[in-house]
Amino acid sequence: MENSEPFSSSTAPLTWHDFLERMRHPSAAEFVRAIKTFIVSISNTPPDPETDSTSVQQFLANMEASFRAHPLWSTGSEEELDSAGEGLEKYIMTKLFPRVFASHQHDIKQDENLHQKLSLLQQFIKPEHLDIQPTYQNETSWILAQKELQKINIYKAPRDKLVCILSCCKVISNLLLNASVAANENPPGADEFLPVLIYVTIKANPPQLHSNLLYIQRFRRESRLVGEAAYFFTNMLSAEAFVTNIDAKALSMDETEFQKNMESAQALIHGLSTDYTTSQNIGQSMSSENSESTTEKENEKEKEVSSVKKNLSVSDLENKGADMIVKDGNGIEEFRNFPYLYSEAGDLTIGDVEDLLDGYKELVLKYVSLAKGVGVGGVSSEDK
């Protein structure tokens, strides 16, 4: 495997584990001190994206050169040296993530604007608006690509975020290739690939997309952002730029129709966001009216509410929530605080076991407490 594309999900945990193990060796003490000193130096200065990027890139380069001359790696293969560099990048950027990710107010504003625009577009966008040929239209299968892209905000390391983009792009590439073979047409090129990537990006609407792309640009080791990784990442940047500047002409749509669609989408989203507030206001109004009614009516109302609560089970709540997630095009964002949700067994390390066990205990406590709160007894593991 070439150094430019070390993206196997099966080898990533081994790379990370090997780096940590070597850093525990007594002869690596000087490296450990240098790494800690660098992290503290960045953490104690005001955020400056360009300066931070330059500092990180220079430090990674210097440390990788030092690895090459150190007994722990001097007799190792190029693959081992590359793995050490990957491990170093992940360790440093995971520690610095809260300090350097979306640290500039302009980037945060860009994230908000892009997210809002994607939310509007996904209400009415269709493949034909992007001139995607019928031969290549496969919205059901494109959902797989959307899911890969939506994982991007779960991770902290630049490489891991980049893998989400590459996985999304590879799903699209494979689908396009299969479609061309089935239709006995020439293999698809960039003119076929980019419109589909744009469509998938709009439908996925991954959180903080702008900041994630900048983060990869700034802190992914420059020497590794080459080859296939660079090609797909450049396409992702192009997709973001296209959406940011999108207009009626870009969608092969009449200006009046475009504005009408955008306004309708805005009204729809606004209506959905105010549904809960409206329900609360109605409930408060009903409560006020009930306070003025007779004692008999109050008792009848209390019986109705009591009956509803008594019939509301944990399963009812789960099903209701699941329906809401399915209906919400951005429901995947709710899962971004659960980093192991998309992991495979081979992705986990020994160090993850304690986190998973703590998470399981917390989940059980919350679930049982919820069951007790709604009056459901005898909750077992089969119910979960």
Side-chain angles (χ1 to χ4, degrees):
M1 180 179 295
E2 297 179 0
N3 290 351
S4 62
E5 298 170 357
F7 292 111
S8 170
S9 61
S10 61
T11 60
L14 297 178
T15 296
W16 176 236
H17 181 69
D18 180 71
F19 173 76
L20 294 179
E21 284 299 313
R22 296 201 190 202
M23 284 294 109
R24 293 188 181 101
H25 194 279
S27 65
E30 185 177 344
F31 287 154
V32 173
R33 284 193 296 270
I35 292 170
K36 289 184 177 179
T37 299
F38 177 74
I39 292 173
V40 170
S41 69
I42 295 291
S43 301
N44 290 338
T45 57
D48 185 330
E50 298 308 319
T51 301
D52 292 342
S53 173
T54 301
S55 297
V56 168
Q57 292 288 346
Q58 188 61 56
F59 182 76
L60 291 175
N62 292 340
M63 286 293 291
E64 288 183 34
S66 298
F67 286 165
R68 188 175 293 274
H70 194 275
L72 282 173
W73 289 279
S74 60
T75 59
S77 64
E78 286 298 317
E79 185 176 0
E80 288 179 301
L81 287 167
D82 188 69
S83 294
E86 291 285 9
L88 175 66
E89 178 186 291
K90 180 169 184 174
Y91 182 84
I92 289 176
M93 296 317 303
T94 298
K95 294 293 185 181
L96 291 177
F97 184 79
R99 158 67 173 69
V100 300
F101 182 77
S103 59
H104 198 283
Q105 191 59 42
H106 177 264
D107 295 340
I108 296 174
K109 185 62 178 177
Q110 285 286 91
D111 281 328
E112 294 174 353
N113 291 340
L114 183 59
H115 181 78
Q116 291 174 5
K117 196 163 193 178
L118 289 170
S119 296
L120 295 175
L121 291 169
Q122 64 184 193
Q123 302 301 321
F124 64 86
I125 192 78
K126 295 180 180 179
E128 48 265 34
H129 291 142
L130 297 170
D131 297 326
I132 299 174
Q133 301 175 31
T135 300
Y136 298 118
Q137 294 182 16
N138 192 345
E139 292 198 63
T140 301
S141 295
W142 288 344
I143 293 176
L144 298 175
Q146 293 173 36
K147 288 182 177 179
E148 292 299 325
L149 190 56
Q150 286 170 332
K151 298 176 186 177
I152 195 170
N153 224 40
I154 294 175
Y155 302 101
K156 295 181 179 180
R159 174 194 181 278
D160 294 337
K161 289 180 178 292
L162 185 58
V163 167
C164 296
I165 294 174
L166 264 63
S167 297
C168 168
C169 291
K170 287 183 177 180
V171 169
I172 294 173
S173 293
N174 290 336
L175 290 171
L176 292 177
L177 181 59
N178 292 338
S180 68
V181 171
N184 196 28
E185 295 186 0
N186 293 326
D191 290 342
E192 289 75 33
F193 173 80
L194 183 56
V196 176
L197 178 60
I198 292 171
Y199 186 84
V200 165
T201 301
I202 292 173
K203 287 296 186 178
N205 195 2
Q208 296 179 285
L209 178 60
H210 179 71
S211 287
N212 274 295
L213 297 181
L214 284 180
Y215 180 74
I216 294 170
Q217 277 185 303
R218 291 165 178 165
F219 302 110
R220 176 59 175 163
R221 183 77 167 92
E222 292 173 346
S223 61
R224 295 191 180 88
L225 194 53
V226 294
E228 184 183 62
Y231 173 76
F232 283 136
F233 184 66
T234 300
N235 273 272
M236 191 70 244
L237 293 176
S238 298
E240 182 204 15
F242 181 90
V243 174
T244 300
N245 301 301
I246 206 167
D247 55 18
K249 184 178 180 180
L251 294 179
S252 302
M253 186 181 295
D254 178 75
E255 180 65 32
T256 302
E257 182 185 0
F258 177 75
Q259 291 300 330
K260 182 179 179 181
N261 284 330
M262 292 291 278
E263 291 171 4
S264 297
Q266 180 67 57
L268 176 62
I269 293 174
H270 179 72
L272 291 174
S273 67
T274 56
D275 277 349
Y276 179 70
T277 302
T278 302
S279 298
Q280 280 189 317
N281 291 338
I282 292 175
Q284 291 172 357
S285 176
M286 290 177 63
S287 176
S288 177
E289 292 176 2
N290 286 342
S291 65
E292 298 174 0
S293 65
T294 63
T295 302
E296 183 178 350
K297 288 184 178 181
E298 288 179 349
N299 290 338
E300 289 178 358
K301 185 65 178 178
E302 288 177 4
K303 288 180 181 180
E304 283 183 25
V305 174
S306 177
S307 176
V308 170
K309 287 183 177 180
K310 188 176 294 183
N311 293 327
L312 192 63
S313 68
V314 176
S315 295
D316 293 331
L317 294 173
E318 290 176 335
N319 292 334
K320 180 181 178 182
D323 289 340
M324 293 171 68
I325 291 173
V326 171
K327 292 177 181 177
D328 182 3
N330 300 317
I332 195 70
E333 293 184 30
E334 304 294 341
F335 300 125
R336 63 186 180 185
N337 293 322
F338 302 92
Y340 300 109
L341 181 63
Y342 299 103
S343 298
E344 302 292 340
D347 297 334
L348 303 179
T349 66
I350 297 298
D352 295 327
V353 174
E354 185 174 351
D355 287 342
L356 287 168
L357 182 58
D358 289 341
Y360 175 77
K361 292 177 179 178
E362 182 180 359
L363 176 63
V364 171
L365 178 60
K366 288 183 177 181
Y367 192 88
V368 173
S369 298
L370 174 63
K372 291 291 185 182
V374 297
V376 178
V379 178
S380 64
S381 59
E382 286 78 9
D383 296 320
K384 299 178 178 59

